[in-house]
Amino acid sequence: MKLRTLGVAVLGVVGLAALPACKKDEAPAAPVSRSPAQDKATAKLEAPVAESAPQPVTGGGTVRGAVTFKGVAPPPAAVAPSEDPACDGMPLTDQSLRVKDGKLENVLVRVRGLVPRSRPAQPAVIDQQKCTYTPRVQGVAVGQPILIKNSDGTLHNARALAGTKSIFNVAQPPNGKAVQRPLPADAEVIRLKCDIHPWMSAWVVVNPNPYFATSGADGSFTIEHLPAGTYTLEAWHETLGIRTAEVTVKEGETVSASFEFSAGDAKAIASDVK
């Protein structure tokens, strides 16, 4: 009798152990109902995640203007064609001074100093296409990283320099993965170059605030959503130097600003280099 009782007990334990396996074929349990208080508590916990998403900046005023070049621009130096087939279509003249119809391209116009309101900073993108950096000149806010792409079917290396100080040197294989790098907050002007294709250059200007723009082929620039106030604008060009102007911005209004560089600036800088 004792053996039979023990056998029944063992079978009972085995049966209980097998129950979880059998539940695979059972219908799923009904969803657990939640009270309004529980839903509210969950939403409160999730709220910080939703709030961390970048929000578009609205309001403020606009600064709009143009950068001009007075006089006759010196002819650009020739760049020898590359034997690298991936470079076909590259510019065959130096791109540091681009003037068309008296309008100056690639001038970085920025608001100097701290500004109470700022915009979300996504990485600034620099691409390498036909052995040329695109864009050649752009601004970034302090703490904003850069994302360097290589869309060419050839090897590049992106070397970043602040003056003569090397910040980083990244090898980028053909059509390789983009590389993101931070920039030092204490460096204002950073040059990117490729040692493999030495004519390749790009400039990144680091600014305390995210209010800046680069002049286009028609010399125009626009800075939007700038809080009302009086500011110093600075126009920076890689070979012609700096110009400044004062502007007063009003909420919801557009103010004009203009900058002029000249052929004399180019000659003076060339003389200093020699």
Side-chain angles (χ1 to χ4, degrees), residues 39-184:
D39 291 335
K40 187 175 181 180
T42 302
K44 191 173 182 180
L45 288 173
E46 294 174 349
V49 176
E51 291 174 357
S52 64
Q55 299 296 318
V57 172
T58 58
T62 300
V63 178
R64 182 172 292 131
V67 185
T68 58
F69 186 87
K70 184 179 181 180
V72 179
V79 174
S82 174
E83 296 181 0
D84 188 339
C87 298
D88 287 347
M90 59 170 272
L92 296 180
T93 57
D94 179 69
Q95 299 295 295
S96 61
L97 183 60
R98 291 176 59 86
V99 178
K100 183 179 180 181
D101 299 329
K103 307 299 183 181
L104 184 57
E105 187 178 357
N106 288 332
V107 176
L108 194 285
V109 181
R110 57 175 173 163
V111 175
R112 295 308 310 254
L114 298 175
V115 180
R117 184 177 62 189
S118 62
R119 297 174 291 184
Q122 300 297 322
V125 178
I126 301 171
D127 201 356
Q128 296 163 97
Q129 299 176 339
K130 298 180 180 178
C131 298
T132 304
Y133 281 115
T134 304
R136 185 179 178 91
V137 177
Q138 69 175 311
V140 299
V142 170
Q144 182 181 6
I146 58 174
L147 187 71
I148 308 171
K149 298 169 63 178
N150 180 10
S151 296
D152 284 337
T154 190
L155 175 67
H156 289 302
N157 78 293
R159 182 193 295 273
L161 299 164
T164 58
K165 180 183 177 183
S166 181
I167 299 172
F168 60 78
N169 187 7
V170 181
Q172 294 191 278
N175 301 303
K177 184 179 179 181
V179 176
Q180 183 168 307
R181 287 290 183 272
L183 297 175

Side-chain angles (χ1 to χ4, degrees), residues 241-272:
I242 291 172
R243 294 286 183 274
T244 59
E246 298 293 319
V247 293
T248 298
V249 177
K250 296 181 180 180
E251 183 71 24
E253 296 186 8
T254 298
V255 63
S256 297
S258 61
F259 300 92
E260 183 182 84
F261 293 84
S262 70
D265 301 322
K267 291 177 182 177
I269 291 177
S271 176
D272 290 341

Side-chain angles (χ1 to χ4, degrees), residues 194-211:
C194 176
D195 298 317
I196 302 169
H197 307 95
W199 62 86
M200 292 177 61
S201 286
W203 301 88
V204 179
V205 179
V206 182
N207 203 44
N209 62 71
Y211 297 101

